[in-house]
């Protein structure tokens, strides 16, 4: 093997290891959309989000729990809509101009959640996620993260939301 081909092969190996490092660093981060409901800030993984709807007619369904507001037809897909505030056992409020529906796709199951307001998208490092204290555990919260502005973001457990709603 010539010195030139050895140098090329080594630089290719360097690129491979650098790619692995970048890949591992990327895997440790996930994007979350934050939203507000009852003065709490929640985060939902952007991997589940299909879209955010601000103006859609919800068809009420009889004999459903109070937090199930009804269904919508989203481009031929029937999507049940739940009010996350009511699902968490909080009191109902009038919907405002900031109220919107976040449509999620969790394991091929579509569900819409009504939230008070959408805030921002954050890149969250998995290592910064804390578990919820066991005595105060909320069934729909999988973890929490403390933000630099001293706010706490509760991470919504979408799989539990779909399975238990």
């Amino acid at each position: 093997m010539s010195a030139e081909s050895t140098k090329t092969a080594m630089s290719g190996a360097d690129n491979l290891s650098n790619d692995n490092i970048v890949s591992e660093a990327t895997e440790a981060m996930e994007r979350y959309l934050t939203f507000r409901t009852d003065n709490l800030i929640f985060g939902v993984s952007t991997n589940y989000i299909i879209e955010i709807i601000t103006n859609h007619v919800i068809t009420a369904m009889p004999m459903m729990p109070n937090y199930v507001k009804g269904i919508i037809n989203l481009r031929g897909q029937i999507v049940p809509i739940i009010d996350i505030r009511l699902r968490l056992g909080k009191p109902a409020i009038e919907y405002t101009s900031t109220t919107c529906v976040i449509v999620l796709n969790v394991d091929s199951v579509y569900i819409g959640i009504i939230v008070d307001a959408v805030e921002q998208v954050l890149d969250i490092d998995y290592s910064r996620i804390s578990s919820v204290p066991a005595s105060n555990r909320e069934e729909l919260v999988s973890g929490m993260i403390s933000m630099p502005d001293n706010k706490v973001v509760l991470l919504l457990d979408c799989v539990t939301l779909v399975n238990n709603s």
Side-chain angles (χ1 to χ4, degrees), residues 57-61 69-73 78-81:
V57 177
I58 299 172
T59 304
M61 297 295 294
K69 298 318 252 179
I71 58 172
I72 63 171
N73 183 339
I78 301 300
V79 180
I81 305 296

Side-chain angles (χ1 to χ4, degrees), residues 21-164:
I21 292 168
V22 169
S23 175
E24 287 172 13
T26 306
E27 288 176 18
M29 300 284 284
E30 189 169 350
R31 298 195 105 175
Y32 282 82
L33 173 72
T34 60
F35 63 88
R36 183 173 298 279
T37 224
D38 193 46
N39 292 323
L40 295 171
I41 301 172
F42 286 88
V44 63
S45 172
T46 57
N47 295 335
Y48 294 121
I49 297 174
I50 300 298
E51 64 184 283
I52 298 169
I53 303 171
T54 55
N55 190 13
H56 211 286
V57 177
I58 299 172
T59 304
M61 297 295 294
M63 300 174 59
M64 289 289 177
N66 72 330
Y67 59 83
V68 178
K69 298 318 252 179
I71 58 172
I72 63 171
N73 183 339
L74 185 66
R75 292 181 296 282
Q77 178 74 40
I78 301 300
V79 180
I81 305 296
I82 66 168
D83 188 323
I84 197 70
R85 172 186 281 275
L86 298 176
R87 179 64 180 87
L88 293 169
K90 307 296 182 185
I93 62 166
E94 284 292 318
Y95 296 146
T96 66
S97 61
T98 61
T99 303
C100 58
V101 176
I102 301 172
V103 179
L104 306 172
N105 179 349
V106 182
D107 297 329
S108 299
V109 175
Y110 285 76
I111 190 167
I113 56 174
I114 299 172
V115 301
D116 295 350
V118 169
E119 300 229 330
Q120 63 183 331
V121 174
L122 301 172
D123 287 321
I124 295 180
D125 185 347
Y126 286 131
S127 66
R128 293 185 48 218
I129 297 174
S130 304
S131 61
V132 178
S135 62
N136 265 350
R137 183 148 174 87
E138 169 61 57
E139 71 172 312
L140 297 178
V141 176
S142 62
M144 58 187 184
I145 185 164
S146 181
M147 301 307 293
D149 59 2
N150 292 328
K151 292 181 181 174
V152 173
V153 176
L154 303 171
L155 303 179
L156 189 66
D157 186 342
C158 294
V159 174
T160 301
L161 176 70
V162 167
N163 292 335
N164 294 349

